[in-house]
Amino acid sequence: MAITTRKCCLVLVMMSLTVLIGRPCSANMYKVGDSEGWTAKADTYIAWAQHKEFHVGDSLIFEYDQNVNDVTQVSGALEYNFCNSPSPKAVYNTGHDVVTLTEPGYHFFISSNHARCIAGQKLIVFVVHGPSHPTPPPPPTNNLPFGNIYKVGDSNEWKVPQESVFYEKWSEEKQFHVGDGLLFYYNDEVDDVLEISHDLEFQTCDPTSPVAVHNGGQELIRLTKPGIRYFITSKIGHCDAGLKLRVVVQPLPKAVPRKVKHLSPLDRLIKWLQTFRPQPHH
């Protein structure tokens, strides 16, 4: 009889754990652009997505005029940056589309209307696993956060400044950390963005050995490691007139260690069981 009772208790515990583990987490639905909807407007969608946390199972609602617009999902940053839509992953054109985010990672959306995409009708969202399906984090060297995005030059964007030290002052007023991003907006018929390696090349505006060349008119460049990053333009006279940028990238702030509170075996069991409860989205 005692053995039977133990078996029944074990079955009940396992059933309880199954319910806790299998309990689905409620997904969120986000209207893209909020009251603006899905339209051509510079900076709207970068700012809109920047402070949201998207999880697998969440959905994006795109509302727009289907006579002049659509939603085109593309595969990567290159298609996103150049507003290139010949080989999309998916195309939506009903005027009211609900797109469910089914996998973690970056998701890229643009308008197939090239002029509207260039004008700012494009969206990047970064999707993480749902809270009810936690995954162990990668090693610290690869655990790159999605930090702040800085629009280079703010309203001046990336163009020859009236004051030659404009971008120097712009950079000195900010603190850049690993995981942040630089967003360059510029006229691609007039300028470009070259990343170079050394201070001497920066001082002399030498474009002959760039690390990377960007010429799409809109670039989002991630700051992936601490140190100094240098950016210039290859256009004759523009760099000498002040169109160059140096940013100092700082490591991520170290977390302050907290005192470990020793828990009783019962408290540890309760804490462990609580990890199976789905956490609300923010």
Side-chain angles (χ1 to χ4, degrees):
M1 182 67 181
I3 295 174
T4 303
T5 302
R6 289 195 196 97
K7 286 183 178 179
C8 290
C9 290
L10 180 59
V11 169
L12 288 172
V13 169
M14 295 304 293
M15 289 176 65
S16 300
L17 288 175
T18 301
V19 170
L20 286 169
I21 295 172
R23 184 180 171 189
C25 155
S26 59
N28 288 330
M29 300 187 75
Y30 297 93
K31 180 182 175 182
V32 175
D34 297 326
S35 60
E36 297 283 349
W38 179 240
T39 186
K41 194 168 183 180
D43 299 341
T44 295
Y45 304 105
I46 291 173
W48 178 83
Q50 183 175 354
H51 299 296
K52 293 179 175 61
E53 185 175 281
F54 302 95
H55 293 87
V56 170
D58 289 348
S59 295
L60 304 176
I61 302 174
F62 292 86
E63 291 188 351
Y64 55 94
D65 182 353
Q66 67 185 97
N67 295 317
V68 295
N69 264 327
D70 63 9
V71 180
T72 300
Q73 185 171 4
V74 293
S75 300
L78 188 63
E79 292 91 340
Y80 172 88
N81 281 333
F82 288 94
C83 292
N84 185 7
S85 60
S87 303
K89 290 181 67 175
V91 177
Y92 308 91
N93 51 22
T94 67
H96 181 91
D97 303 312
V98 179
V99 180
T100 301
L101 304 170
T102 58
E103 57 186 16
Y106 288 100
H107 295 251
F108 304 88
F109 302 91
I110 66 174
S111 171
S112 67
N113 183 319
H114 191 264
R116 299 185 71 89
C117 178
I118 291 294
Q121 192 168 356
K122 52 169 69 175
L123 169 68
I124 302 176
V125 297
F126 181 66
V127 181
V128 298
H129 284 278
S132 60
H133 298 85
T135 56
T141 54
N142 297 326
N143 190 13
L144 185 63
F146 195 78
N148 295 322
I149 295 178
Y150 296 93
K151 181 181 176 182
V152 174
D154 297 325
S155 60
N156 191 73
E157 300 183 344
W158 181 246
K159 61 184 178 183
V160 175
Q162 294 182 351
E163 184 183 9
S164 62
V165 294
F166 172 81
Y167 292 102
E168 180 181 348
K169 291 181 178 179
W170 180 87
S171 176
E172 288 177 348
E173 292 170 353
K174 296 169 177 59
Q175 288 192 347
F176 303 96
H177 291 89
V178 170
D180 291 346
L182 300 177
L183 180 61
F184 290 84
Y185 277 114
Y186 56 95
N187 183 344
D188 58 357
E189 296 180 356
V190 178
D191 281 306
D192 55 13
V193 180
L194 271 63
E195 182 168 4
I196 54 178
S197 301
H198 304 293
D199 190 71
L200 181 60
E201 295 172 313
F202 180 79
Q203 296 293 344
T204 59
C205 292
D206 181 2
T208 56
S209 302
V211 175
V213 177
H214 307 278
N215 51 21
Q218 178 178 324
E219 323 292 347
L220 178 60
I221 299 175
R222 295 288 304 279
L223 305 175
T224 57
K225 58 184 179 180
I228 302 177
R229 302 279 292 268
Y230 302 93
F231 302 92
I232 65 172
T233 178
S234 67
K235 305 306 178 181
I236 297 175
H238 291 198
C239 178
D240 292 321
L243 189 53
K244 56 183 178 179
L245 172 67
R246 173 171 46 201
V247 298
V248 179
V249 184
Q250 301 178 17
L252 288 172
K254 292 184 179 180
V256 178
R258 294 181 300 176
K259 293 183 179 179
V260 178
K261 181 180 179 181
H262 295 285
L263 302 176
S264 68
L266 178 59
D267 288 336
R268 288 200 297 269
L269 175 60
I270 293 172
K271 189 175 181 64
W272 179 73
L273 289 173
Q274 287 175 339
T275 62
F276 294 102
R277 295 179 183 175
Q279 301 298 316
H281 293 272
H282 297 287

